[in-house]
Amino acid sequence: RQKKTASHAVTELENTKDCSQAGKPLFCPSHPTEELRLFCEQCDQPVCRDCVVDRHQQHPCDFTGNAIHRHGDALRELLKSTQQHMVTLEGLLSQIDDMGSAIRSCADAVAAEICLFATGYVKAIEEHRDQLLKQLEDLKVQKENMLLLQKAQLQQLLLDMRTGVEFTERLLMSGSDLEILITKGVVGSRLAKLNSVAYNTQPSVDDGIQFSPQERAGQCCGYEVFGVILNKVVDPARCTLHGEGLQSARQNKLTGFTLLCNDATGEQMGRGGEAVRVTITHKDKRDCAVMPTVCDNGDGTYRISYSPEEPGLYAVCVYVKGQHVQGSPFTLMVKNKFREHPGVFHCCTFCSSGGQKAARCACGGTMPGGYQGCGHGHKGHPGCHHWSCCGQVKESSECLGGPASNNSQRSFLRTVTL
C-alpha cells in the first residue's frame, strides 16, 4: 500500500515455490520490450540491444553466456574463500566457547584455592597472634618477678638498716658512756656490714618491650608470618668497636671498622635499625673532615667505611642514639700514601745492570775492581735480594728513599730499567 511499493507484484509465501523465475527471460527496465541478453563490462551490468546503441555505444559489451564464465569463476573463488573463512570462524567460535568454559572452571578452582589459602593464612596469623601474646605475657611476668625479687631484697636491706640506725640512735641518746663503749664494736661492725652490702641503684629490668610488625618471624602452620616482640634495648656504653681501621689508615685508601651493638647485659642485639652517627675530623685542620659511610648489616653490627684525603691525626667519634659508644672518642693516625719502590728488587747491581761499573745501589755496598754498586759479597746484604732505591729487603715493603736518589740519574735509571 505504500507509495514506493504500490506497483510491485505481491505473492503469498505458499505460492512462491511454484513461481520461480529461473529460466524466464528478464526485460530491460529502460526498454520493456527488449530482453537483457548482453553485459556491459565497463558499467558492470546487463543491458539490451537498445541500451548498447543508446547509452553503452562505446562500451565493451558481450553476450551474457560468454560473460558468465569470467564473472562466475571469480564469484566461485570468492565463494570458496568465504566458505573457508566461515569454517575458520565457526571453529574459532567453538574454541572461544570452550575457552570460556575453561576460564570459568579455572576461576572456580582458583577461587577455591584462594579461600583455602586465606583460611589457612588467617588461622596461621591467629595462632601467631596467640604466640606473641603468650610471649608478651611471659616476658611481663618475668620482668615483674625480677622486680619483686629486687624489691624484696631492698626492703629487707632497708629494714635491717632502719633497725640498726634506730638501735644506734637510742644507744647514743640514752646509753651511758660505759654502755656505748661496751657495744660500739658490735654496733659498728653491724653498721659497717650493712654499708658494705652492694645493691643496684637502678631497677634490675627496664620497660624495653617493643613490637616490630615488619620483621620476619619465621613460619607458622606453613605460612611465613611477620611481627616479633623486641625486649632488648641498645646500651651505648656496652657497644664495642672492632677492625683494622681504628688505629691507623692510609691516605686515599678505603678502610674501616665495625661497630657491635649490645644491650645492657652485653648480649648482641641481633637486629639493626639503630641511630648510628660517626664523625671523623682532622685535629690540626679545622676544615678537613672525612665523610664516613655507615652500612647496617641487619644483625646488630654496622660497617663504617672511610677514605681520608689528608694525612695526620684525626678525632673519631661514634654515637649510638646520641651517646658515645665504648672507646669513643679515639685518635686515628692517617699515614701518607703508600710509596711504591721506583727501583728494582735485585741481588746485586752487577747482575741487574748488566755489569755497569757506574750503577749504584741504595744499600751502600760496593764491589772491588772499581764497581760503584753492590755485589754478592758486600757487607750490607750479601747474597740477599733488596731494593735498589732504598735498600729494604722485604719486597712488599714501602719505599723509604735513600742514597740512590742523589746518585747519577743515568746509572740509577739504567739499574731500574734492567
Side-chain angles (χ1 to χ4, degrees):
R1 296 179 181 180
Q2 301 299 321
K3 183 178 181 180
K4 292 184 179 181
T5 58
S7 60
H8 291 188
V10 180
T11 307
E12 293 184 2
L13 291 177
E14 289 77 6
N15 303 329
T16 56
K17 297 180 181 180
D18 301 330
C19 300
S20 174
Q21 297 295 324
K24 293 183 179 181
L26 298 177
F27 294 93
C28 179
S30 301
H31 308 93
T33 60
E34 292 294 331
E35 188 176 350
L36 297 173
R37 295 182 177 182
L38 301 172
F39 186 80
C40 179
E41 296 289 348
Q42 182 173 337
C43 298
D44 195 28
Q45 66 178 20
V47 294
C48 66
R49 288 181 301 173
D50 293 346
C51 292
V52 172
V53 176
D54 185 10
R55 291 177 297 175
H56 303 269
Q57 187 175 3
Q58 302 297 330
H59 296 179
C61 296
D62 197 358
F63 288 102
T64 56
N66 298 329
I68 190 62
H69 295 293
R70 296 190 299 273
H71 295 280
D73 293 341
L75 194 60
R76 291 186 187 91
E77 290 296 329
L78 287 175
L79 176 62
K80 183 178 180 182
S81 177
T82 305
Q83 289 173 342
Q84 291 178 352
H85 284 295
M86 289 176 60
V87 174
T88 303
L89 290 174
E90 290 174 352
L92 182 58
L93 289 173
S94 178
Q95 292 180 10
I96 290 175
D97 292 337
D98 295 340
M99 183 59 67
S101 300
I103 289 174
R104 289 189 291 271
S105 299
C106 184
D108 294 339
V110 172
E113 291 181 6
I114 292 175
C115 294
L116 183 62
F117 170 81
T119 302
Y121 205 179
V122 170
K123 182 180 179 181
I125 292 175
E126 291 177 347
E127 185 171 338
H128 182 55
R129 175 201 61 193
D130 296 340
Q131 292 177 358
L132 288 175
L133 293 176
K134 184 179 184 303
Q135 182 181 352
L136 178 62
E137 181 66 22
D138 294 342
L139 183 60
K140 182 192 73 171
V141 172
Q142 178 184 358
K143 287 179 175 290
E144 288 178 344
N145 289 338
M146 294 178 66
L147 287 176
L148 289 175
L149 178 60
Q150 183 185 16
K151 183 178 180 180
Q153 293 174 347
L154 293 178
Q155 286 176 341
Q156 183 62 45
L157 179 60
L158 179 61
L159 179 61
D160 294 342
M161 286 185 175
R162 183 176 288 114
T163 302
V165 167
E166 291 176 354
F167 179 82
T168 305
E169 287 177 346
R170 287 198 303 269
L171 177 64
L172 294 175
M173 292 178 60
S174 305
S176 63
D177 296 341
L178 184 59
E179 290 174 341
I180 294 175
L181 292 175
I182 292 174
T183 58
K184 73 176 184 62
V186 177
V187 175
S189 176
R190 177 59 175 170
L191 292 179
K193 184 177 180 181
L194 292 174
N195 289 332
S196 64
V197 175
Y199 57 90
N200 195 349
T201 58
Q202 298 291 334
S204 58
V205 294
D206 53 32
D207 59 348
I209 303 177
Q210 300 176 356
F211 177 65
S212 177
Q214 286 82 21
E215 194 164 341
R216 297 178 182 273
Q219 287 195 347
C220 182
C221 300
Y223 296 86
E224 188 169 3
V225 292
F226 294 81
V228 295
I229 294 177
L230 306 176
N231 62 333
K232 292 183 179 181
V233 178
V234 66
D235 185 0
R238 297 277 186 169
C239 299
T240 56
L241 300 172
H242 309 273
E244 70 283 356
L246 291 173
Q247 290 80 23
S248 62
R250 284 283 183 181
Q251 181 184 6
N252 294 329
K253 183 179 180 182
L254 184 64
T255 185
F257 53 89
T258 300
L259 167 65
L260 177 60
C261 289
N262 300 318
D263 61 5
T265 63
E267 186 179 355
Q268 184 174 342
M269 292 296 296
R271 58 179 175 84
E274 302 297 342
V276 178
R277 185 169 65 91
V278 181
T279 61
I280 305 176
T281 54
H282 202 288
K283 283 196 170 185
D284 299 328
K285 300 179 181 180
R286 292 184 177 180
D287 298 333
C288 183
V290 179
M291 296 299 295
T293 301
V294 180
C295 179
D296 187 349
N297 297 324
D299 57 356
T301 62
Y302 300 80
R303 178 66 180 176
I304 294 92
S305 304
Y306 63 94
S307 178
E309 297 181 356
E310 295 289 338
L313 284 175
Y314 286 79
V316 183
C317 299
V318 182
Y319 305 93
V320 173
K321 291 186 176 180
Q323 301 180 32
H324 283 283
V325 301
Q326 188 180 134
S328 175
F330 61 91
T331 301
L332 171 68
M333 170 58 73
V334 177
K335 300 179 181 179
N336 287 312
K337 188 176 180 181
F338 188 85
R339 295 177 58 185
E340 302 288 344
H341 289 279
V344 60
F345 194 65
H346 64 180
C347 58
C348 70
T349 55
F350 182 82
C351 298
S352 61
S353 66
Q356 296 290 325
K357 285 189 175 184
R360 296 178 179 271
C361 184
C363 70
T366 58
M367 293 174 61
Y371 288 93
Q372 300 180 22
C374 62
H376 291 281
H378 72 279
K379 295 181 180 180
H381 308 292
C384 177
H385 280 74
H386 57 281
W387 285 101
S388 63
C389 49
C390 61
Q392 292 207 79
V393 295
K394 290 187 66 176
E395 187 174 6
S396 60
S397 61
E398 181 182 8
C399 184
L400 303 178
S405 60
N406 299 325
N407 292 340
S408 169
Q409 290 295 326
R410 180 179 179 183
S411 62
F412 175 70
L413 290 174
R414 171 72 174 168
T415 304
V416 172
T417 303
L418 292 174

